[in-house]
Amino acid sequence: ETGVTQSPTHLIKTRGQQVTLRCSSQSGHNTVSWYQQALGQGPQFIFQYYREEENGRGNFPPRFSGLQFPNYSSELNVNALELDDSALYLCASSLWGAAQTQYFGPGTRLLVL
Amino acid sequence: QKEVEQDPGPLSVPEGAIVSLNCTYSNSAFQYFMWYRQYSRKGPELLMYTYSSGNKEDGRFTAQVDKSSKYISLFIRDSQPSDSATYLCAMISNTGNQFYFGTGTSLTVIP
């Protein structure tokens, strides 16, 4: 059984650029959630994907978007990067309806200059 | 008012001590209550989850939920230096598609 993996591990971008982060779910998990964790803060829920559709969304602007693929892997896209987007981006996977047992990946650390 | 409030600490205890970590919340519709442990530069790791008011025990860890007071706790018995980490409480909405985390409490267990 493979765990949740994320790529890349680190990324440096400049303000205004666009970024794509990737996540592979734990084997058998069909639901993916994305979180933003700023330094010294708890994770903030961005959105959740199930059956390739966004199923729930936190308080994030539309420039944060996502995709889920038939193999349940997922992407997080952020357009028009701002300095405040610098954070650890976490992906978590679970079975549908069992988010209380979601498993997190190691995260992608994004720095926006 | 934040949905979930958690004292960030830091908290420093001697090895073997009992640790109490707490969170309060404002939304009475929260359905599941979770505790995660996060080591530096790693993703959160699920420790325990509870669904209703009451206690749940797993080894040295006990999770407690008091829905009437909107208050949850995690107790760690016989704390070990390896327990040094940030502990995050988290909650799921009754719709199952909104997630809320506390800011995390930094714990150091001194040998």
Side-chain angles (χ1 to χ4, degrees):
Chain A
E1 183 180 274
T2 56
V4 179
T5 60
Q6 292 186 243
S7 62
T9 54
H10 296 82
L11 204 51
I12 299 175
K13 291 285 188 178
T14 56
R15 194 170 49 182
Q17 284 189 312
Q18 179 265 343
V19 70
T20 297
L21 310 181
R22 295 177 175 82
C23 171
S24 290
S25 304
Q26 179 160 314
S27 178
H29 284 183
N30 55 14
T31 304
V32 175
S33 298
W34 284 91
Y35 297 84
Q36 179 195 68
Q37 186 175 24
L39 201 60
Q41 300 296 315
Q44 297 290 311
F45 173 64
I46 303 175
F47 42 56
Q48 179 187 72
Y49 273 81
Y50 171 64
R51 289 186 174 177
E52 303 175 45
E53 290 190 0
E54 186 180 292
N55 178 61
R57 190 178 185 94
N59 189 26
F60 280 82
R63 59 189 186 84
F64 286 79
S65 63
L67 285 172
Q68 186 184 30
F69 300 99
N71 67 353
Y72 308 133
S73 66
S74 177
E75 285 182 356
L76 165 65
N77 299 289
V78 187
N79 293 322
L81 283 167
E82 300 177 0
L83 298 180
D84 284 349
D85 294 334
S86 296
L88 180 68
Y89 288 85
L90 295 161
C91 161
S93 74
S94 68
L95 289 171
W96 172 247
Q100 69 275 15
T101 58
Q102 62 185 336
Y103 288 87
F104 281 84
T108 293
R109 193 163 295 278
L110 173 65
L111 177 61
V112 182
L113 301 175
Chain B
Q1 184 186 9
K2 282 187 177 181
E3 298 275 0
V4 180
E5 300 275 1
Q6 183 176 11
D7 186 342
L11 191 59
S12 184
V13 302
E15 183 175 352
I18 296 174
V19 176
S20 172
L21 304 166
N22 311 293
C23 289
T24 59
Y25 62 95
S26 57
N27 189 339
S28 59
F30 284 149
Q31 186 180 46
Y32 282 97
F33 305 88
M34 294 85 74
W35 285 97
Y36 291 87
R37 177 174 61 196
Q38 186 174 27
Y39 293 112
S40 181
R41 299 188 174 274
K42 302 285 187 184
E45 170 195 8
L46 178 68
L47 289 173
M48 301 178 70
Y49 73 89
T50 52
Y51 178 71
S52 59
S53 285
N55 293 356
K56 183 176 182 179
E57 189 174 317
D58 185 1
R60 297 185 294 111
F61 298 90
T62 299
Q64 195 172 78
V65 174
D66 182 349
K67 282 191 170 183
S68 63
S69 302
K70 299 191 184 68
Y71 188 88
I72 70 170
S73 299
L74 178 71
F75 298 96
I76 307 174
R77 291 182 299 281
D78 187 25
S79 55
Q80 302 295 309
S82 58
D83 295 329
S84 298
T86 295
Y87 289 80
L88 297 156
C89 63
M91 300 169 196
I92 303 177
S93 66
N94 59 344
T95 55
N97 62 357
Q98 294 290 328
F99 305 87
Y100 301 91
F101 278 77
T103 54
T105 299
S106 176
L107 170 68
T108 300
V109 181
I110 303 168

